[in-house]
Amino acid sequence: MTPVEWPIAAEAADRPVDPARPRGPSRLATVRRDFFLDSEARLTEQERALMSAMLADLLASLAAEIATIAGIDPVLSPERERALTGSGLLNREGLVALMLRRADEQRIAAAFAAHGGGRKLPLLSRLVGDPDPAVAAAAMALVVARGRRRDPFGQPRLELSDLDPDDRSPVVHAVAAALAAAPNELAPLAAAADAVVGAVDDSQSLDEAVAALAGALAASSRDGEALLAEASAEGEAALVAHLLARRAAIRPQAAWDHLLDAGEGGLALVAGMAGLERRTAARLIADFAAGRGTASAEEEIGRFDALGKAETAAALAFWRLPRDFRIARTRLGLANG
């Protein structure tokens, strides 16, 4: 699929800078890290632009909410925002992973929309009118949730409920601390940050809305391979990941990571773990391998065909282990079997 440019998000990400940039040791350390990053692993300009815009929007919305509760001027100055982003306080794995996933979802959806042509009514729109009230309600809830997470230009944005619970308080308190301009504002801002965190409703997260639709489809026995293939053909990546996760009894995030791992065998493996028929697996691989520049659909379907029962069972056993245990095994460089 052809790349899609994002001029609106890029404008937000590429702010004017002083041409006489500092040359001190602190910048040199950053330049050295950046220069030697693996070119295959580093962010694309599209990803960087989208993630930068999402973070800026999140900080602005949190600053406004916190300041309103605290009764102060809701202004996060550019200097304070730079200090906040440069402090490392926002460099949290969960937050960065979420922004990257939203950027990937946007990229996939835009690519499929550009190549969709004049087809029938999209899957989600049809599900809103489904005869099963639970499916229709869950589909409408997802439509509304997605709508709230679009800025005026149609670019993705985050809400606090989308963040992992472990990330919410640190992020909110970091914004509150950056807002404080005088000693008498410290206590009100800290209290306001606590109030903002305490008011979060986990059920309002976008992932919960996707999970609810996947659950409603399963409850009505509508989560079979035909619907999964249809969702795949429309680039409904988040729903596909949840449907695959339910079939394989693994976490949605694990299914998502495999879904984007075309060219390295992950896409073939998740299709095998989900027990897909070859035709459905081929549909999935053709749809998602096409969006990866280094991926070969032919090689990926070959990997799927070569999967044995023992290999699939070992992968399932590993991916059903507690997440912290799996991370520890990986970082220790130990075999997963």
Side-chain angles (χ1 to χ4, degrees), residues 93 251 314-337:
E93 182 177 347
R251 291 171 59 89
L316 278 172
F318 177 73
W319 285 100
R320 289 170 179 170
L321 293 170
R323 180 175 180 271
D324 289 339
F325 184 89
R326 287 188 284 103
I327 290 174
R329 291 286 295 185
T330 301
R331 291 185 176 175
L332 288 167
L334 298 174
N336 296 333

Side-chain angles (χ1 to χ4, degrees), residues 214-253:
L217 290 167
S220 64
S221 301
R222 302 271 298 288
D223 60 339
E225 294 194 28
L227 186 135
L228 196 152
E230 191 172 1
S232 174
E234 294 192 10
E236 280 285 352
L239 181 58
V240 169
H242 276 263
L243 291 172
L244 288 171
R246 292 184 69 91
R247 293 178 65 91
I250 60 177
R251 291 171 59 89
Q253 181 61 51

Side-chain angles (χ1 to χ4, degrees), residues 1-6 106-119 234:
M1 296 182 183
T2 57
V4 179
E5 295 297 329
W6 302 94
Q106 177 77 355
R107 171 183 58 79
I108 293 168
F112 274 80
H115 293 77
R119 298 192 302 177
E234 294 192 10

Side-chain angles (χ1 to χ4, degrees), residues 95-313:
L95 174 60
V96 176
L98 175 62
M99 292 191 295
L100 181 59
R101 180 152 51 95
R102 292 286 186 265
D104 279 328
E105 288 176 14
Q106 177 77 355
R107 171 183 58 79
I108 293 168
F112 274 80
H115 293 77
R119 298 192 302 177
K120 58 185 179 180
L121 197 65
L123 172 63
L124 197 56
S125 298
R126 296 200 306 277
L127 291 177
V128 167
D130 196 86
D132 186 320
V135 171
M140 177 57 76
L142 179 55
V143 169
V144 172
R146 285 181 174 175
R148 289 202 316 267
R149 289 162 177 84
R150 296 288 174 188
D151 69 14
F153 302 103
Q155 302 304 309
R157 55 186 303 273
L158 302 177
E159 292 191 357
L160 189 57
S161 61
D162 297 329
L163 273 63
D164 188 275
D166 291 340
D167 290 326
R168 292 172 191 162
S169 183
V171 169
V172 173
H173 278 277
V175 174
L179 283 171
N184 65 329
E185 293 178 349
L186 298 180
L189 282 167
D194 277 336
V196 169
V197 174
V200 176
D201 182 356
D202 289 325
S203 68
Q204 296 302 306
S205 79
L206 185 56
D207 283 339
E208 284 297 319
V210 180
L213 177 56
L217 290 167
S220 64
S221 301
R222 302 271 298 288
D223 60 339
E225 294 194 28
L227 186 135
L228 196 152
E230 191 172 1
S232 174
E234 294 192 10
E236 280 285 352
L239 181 58
V240 169
H242 276 263
L243 291 172
L244 288 171
R246 292 184 69 91
R247 293 178 65 91
I250 60 177
R251 291 171 59 89
Q253 181 61 51
W256 174 265
D257 290 341
H258 282 77
L259 198 62
L260 295 188
D261 199 15
E264 299 296 334
L267 184 51
L269 183 58
V270 75
M273 289 192 294
L276 299 184
E277 299 278 348
R278 189 182 190 278
R279 181 177 180 179
T280 310
R283 168 84 266 180
L284 188 74
I285 290 169
D287 291 334
F288 286 93
R292 311 298 291 180
T294 59
S296 165
E298 292 77 11
E299 292 177 358
E300 201 73 10
I301 194 64
R303 292 187 181 99
F304 176 81
D305 290 336
L307 282 175
K309 291 183 179 180
E311 182 181 355
T312 304

